[in-house]
Amino acid sequence: MRRSEAARSWRRRERGRGLGPQLLRGPAQVMLLSRAPAGAVFCLALAAADWRYGAYALGGAAVGTGTARLLQVSGDRVEAGLEGYNACLLALCCAVFLGPDRLSTALLAAASCVVAAVATAAVVRLLRVWQLPPLTLPYCLLASAVTIAAPALSRIWPHDAGPAALPRAAAEPTAPSPGELWRAFFRNVSQVFFMDEWYVGALLLAGVFLAGRVAGLVACAGSATGILTAWALGAPAARIADGTMGYNAVLVALALCGVFLAVTPATLLYALLGAATATVVTPAVAHLLAPSGGHAFTWPFVLTTLGFLAAARSFPGLTARTPVPAQPVLGGDT
């Protein structure tokens, strides 16, 4: 009996020591990584834009992870940061769109992060039927719900006008300047976290390289693919330059080459095809969500990646070395 109690006490101490890495893996898993140092760099990158954004990101991961622990979610998921990344993005979304210095924003972000733990469990269980990962689907569902509902709630919505951004034909210049191109390369990474500053993207990309050289190179290839695809299709130069056309391409490339599929020349080409597809899907989703502001969030990443992962099972050349995972596990030391 004493030996059993001692073992339980040791496990509690070990869980306590691992709490910090668990929280930092939440931000890291936004980029499909599972290394705590990368999460720390990500939080510092957000703080470089505004310390409140870094606080919201880490605080959201803490609330999401803490809620999952209270609900006794699988320890492996909690340890890997898989219960923190959707909440991290959701809290940051509230801060960016509703204002980080408002008490109502903080309260809504905290409540949303608690709900995110429930939504994540539901999505994990539903997608397990098809042996597909949840990705950022819980975040997308809740972020869309928040942005659609917020204008009807006067204590939450800080703006005078509604968010509608009705679609219109592109009539702007489509050829970005060289200066805009290199900024777009980094903003494609920073926009994953809603940040406009190119240097935030550079810091985030450094965090990806810290997690793994291959992951960093794949992220770079995804960003370049997003830019080339958007330019080839005649997207407005301003949309290319600010990174809002290419950030989903970065996530898709990471997911399909090194996370859910092994790193091979074939999967790299497949991942870049997925990145180009996500770039095309991005304005389509934005137009569909125009009445609520046209925020695509990471819907293009989710839709494209789930489709490409489901299709990959029909292509033995892509899954021969590493089959599409049966369990919804994100990230790894790529």
Side-chain angles (χ1 to χ4, degrees), residues 101-249:
D101 55 349
R102 305 171 74 236
L103 177 60
S104 61
T105 299
L107 294 176
L108 178 64
S112 299
C113 291
V114 172
V115 177
V118 179
T120 298
V123 171
V124 166
R125 184 165 291 275
L126 287 172
L127 291 182
R128 186 177 294 162
V129 175
W130 296 282
Q131 298 184 336
L132 291 170
L135 304 175
T136 54
L137 180 55
Y139 150 70
C140 288
L141 291 170
L142 293 174
S144 296
V146 167
T147 53
I148 291 172
L153 305 172
S154 59
R155 290 190 175 88
I156 293 176
W157 187 248
H159 311 293
D160 295 331
L166 298 180
R168 55 186 175 83
E172 305 171 35
T174 59
S177 67
E180 290 174 328
L181 283 177
W182 71 262
R183 290 184 177 87
F185 179 83
F186 293 113
R187 284 175 177 153
N188 282 346
V189 183
S190 66
Q191 285 289 356
V192 173
F193 291 88
F194 308 104
M195 299 293 108
D196 294 322
E197 296 83 1
W198 69 266
Y199 57 84
V200 173
L203 291 171
L204 291 169
L205 189 58
V208 177
F209 272 102
L210 179 64
R213 180 174 59 88
V214 172
L217 293 174
V218 170
C220 291
S223 180
T225 300
I227 292 172
L228 289 173
T229 303
W231 171 79
L233 294 177
R239 292 287 312 281
I240 299 174
D242 67 12
T244 55
M245 281 293 295
Y247 67 96
N248 282 286

Side-chain angles (χ1 to χ4, degrees), residues 28-29 31-35 80 82 211-212 215 258-259 329-334:
Q29 287 285 5
M31 298 291 288
L32 304 164
L33 305 168
S34 62
R35 290 192 173 181
L82 294 172
V259 175
V329 177
L330 284 174
D333 299 333
T334 52

